[in-house]
Amino acid sequence: GWGDIGTCICDKYINTFFQVVYNEVGPNYEVYSCFVSQSADLQKIYGPGVSGLLKGKHKAGLYYLWPVAWMDCNEGQTGYVEKDAMLTLMKNMECAGIPSRH
């Protein structure tokens, strides 16, 4: 199985990750979340616009999605996105000064 905290697209995994961050740095960070329901939503995320919102010294893009080559998100399969759409998003975010991490 996936272990006690699950996969990168489940709430338990994400909540555990941010609890660890909070335990390490306290409330000294900010998070902007974008919720997607299909791969086409990734094209709507504008890297320079997101970069302009982030005020911290360090910036990072964390993507709690599951890139696949065989399908897009369907009902009951939240988090799955087309791999090319995700790689394009990551490239655009990195060009805007937001490196991919995690």
Side-chain angles (χ1 to χ4, degrees), residues 5-99:
I5 59 171
T7 69
C8 64
I9 59 174
C10 75
D11 290 341
K12 189 172 183 182
Y13 182 95
I14 297 166
N15 290 337
T16 299
F17 174 81
F18 282 105
Q19 185 60 54
V20 170
V21 170
Y22 184 84
N23 290 345
E24 291 294 320
V25 301
N28 300 315
Y29 66 97
E30 63 183 351
V31 174
Y32 282 86
S33 298
C34 299
F35 295 91
V36 299
S37 60
Q38 58 187 340
S39 297
D41 293 339
L42 300 178
Q43 296 172 4
K44 300 174 186 175
I45 301 171
Y46 181 61
V50 173
S51 184
L53 294 172
L54 303 175
K55 303 300 181 204
K57 179 179 177 182
H58 304 286
K59 300 177 183 181
L62 303 166
Y63 305 97
Y64 296 100
L65 299 169
W66 195 295
V68 296
W70 45 271
M71 64 177 284
D72 196 2
C73 293
N74 291 318
E75 188 173 329
Q77 297 172 319
T78 304
Y80 290 88
V81 294
E82 295 169 347
K83 66 177 178 59
D84 293 336
M86 183 164 172
L87 289 173
T88 297
L89 169 68
M90 293 170 73
K91 179 183 75 174
N92 291 339
M93 297 296 275
E94 290 185 4
C95 286
I98 303 172

